[in-house]
């Protein structure tokens, strides 16, 4: 009898405090030529538990260090949403599982921003819709090509006019593997943006826009033989590759192992290979090649497209 009551009390307590658990996918942005415009979501997830509290209580459940004060990106993004809705935030309990490696080009900061916004929106009874959340997350991040697919899933084409994001999400029905080769060092997006030219030629602009359009059309229609051409670009990869020793060797290896395409994921340093599901031993062979290049600390991670985006998985 006593234990039944205490179980009932615990459930009631949990109900009142409204602890929610959010699952947020990794993302790969740019997709070669679609700088700041294209991105897709991947089946590799961060998890964030969140509830209102009288103070800031932030914990990393997997030992990955995260800021534990108001500068924490999950907390800060939640705070922004509360402010906009005119609600006072007395504090939050936030527990993070950070599977997505930080500052590697797989959308770790976008995952934090989306977790904060979606969590806060849920705690407040969903005052904001998808459009608001897409806009707000791009305003916080500065570009939409990680935040939008992290929220929406699939492949997202997005134009950010500085205030609003004009976007289309498309689900991708494919068995393609997205294999990330993840260096053992970080590359901050600010640094990877600082090395880009201020202006480009008309010819280079055409080179990129034609390939960006080709990428999404080819991915969506299964014309994968186009992807190798589609990922070439002249706006960012040639400059950023200089910051990533061995990047060209990894691309050459990926193509020699039969990848459809290889590109710099987001601002890097992760390198992404797009591989057919019939290419059974691609990851093992890539691992072997990296070891022989002296890159034993680099990781190889096989992923697939996530079409669902961020989900509240319990409340
Ligand atoms: N489009 C962004 C960039 C993605 O390439 O800088 C990185 O967050």
């Amino acid at each position: 009898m006593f234990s039944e009551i205490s179980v009932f009390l615990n459930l009631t307590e949990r109900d009142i405090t409204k602890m929610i658990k959010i699952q947020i996918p990794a993302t790969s942005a740019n997709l070669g030529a679609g700088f700041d415009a294209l991105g897709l979501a991947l089946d590799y997830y961060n998890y964030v538990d969140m509830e209102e509290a009288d103070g800031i209580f932030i914990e990393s459940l997997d030992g990955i260090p995260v800021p534990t004060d108001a500068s924490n990106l999950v907390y800060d993004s939640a705070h922004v949403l509360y402010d906009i809705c005119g609600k006072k935030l007395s504090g939050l309990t936030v527990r993070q599982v950070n599977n997505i490696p930080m500052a590697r080009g797989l959308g770790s900061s976008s995952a934090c921003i989306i977790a904060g916004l979606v969590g806060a929106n849920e705690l407040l009874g969903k005052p904001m819709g998808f459009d608001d959340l897409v806009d707000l997350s791009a305003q916080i991040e500065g570009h939409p090509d990680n935040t939008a697919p992290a929220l929406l899933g699939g492949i997202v084409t997005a134009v950010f006019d500085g205030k609003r994001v004009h976007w289309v999400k498309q689900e991708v029905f494919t068995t393609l593997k997205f294999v990330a080769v993840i260096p053992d060092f970080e590359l901050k997006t600010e640094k990877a943006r600082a090395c880009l030219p201020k202006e480009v030629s008309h010819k280079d602009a055409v080179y990129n826009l034609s390939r960006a359009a080709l990428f999404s059309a080819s991915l969506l229609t299964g014309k994968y033989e186009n992807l190798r051409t589609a990922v070439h670009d002249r706006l960012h990869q040639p400059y950023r590759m200089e910051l990533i020793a061995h990047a060209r060797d990894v691309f050459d290896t990926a193509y020699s192992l039969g990848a459809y395409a290889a590109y710099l994921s987001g601002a890097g340093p992760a390198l992404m290979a797009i591989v057919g599901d019939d290419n059974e031993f691609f990851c093992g062979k890539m691992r072997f090649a990296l070891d022989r290049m002296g890159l034993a600390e680099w990781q190889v991670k096989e992923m697939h497209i996530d079409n669902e985006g961020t989900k509240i998985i319990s409340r």
Side-chain angles (χ1 to χ4, degrees), residues 176-219:
L176 284 178
K177 302 187 256 202
F178 283 71
V179 179
V181 175
I182 308 170
D184 58 351
F185 55 86
E186 298 187 345
L187 177 55
K188 298 263 190 237
T189 299
E190 305 84 72
K191 182 175 174 193
R193 289 179 88 84
C195 73
L196 304 181
K198 296 268 175 290
E199 290 179 4
V200 296
S201 68
H202 187 273
K203 202 169 157 206
D204 287 353
V206 172
Y207 184 97
N208 262 66
L209 66 87
S210 54
R211 281 166 177 74
L214 185 69
F215 186 95
S216 47
S218 301
L219 183 69

Side-chain angles (χ1 to χ4, degrees), residues 29-30 35-36 143 145-146 189 193 240 266-267:
N30 298 330
F35 182 75
D36 279 2
H143 44 84
D145 46 329
N146 289 108
T189 299
R193 289 179 88 84
R240 290 170 164 175

Side-chain angles (χ1 to χ4, degrees), residues 1 19 26 35 76 87 98-99 104 121 126 130 137 224 236-238 270 275 277:
M1 181 63 181
M19 171 69 85
F35 182 75
D76 186 49
K87 302 283 182 190
N98 309 283
N99 292 320
R104 297 300 204 285
N121 198 43
K126 294 202 183 137
F130 277 127
S137 58
Y224 303 142
H236 72 109
Q237 293 181 98
V275 179
D277 68 342

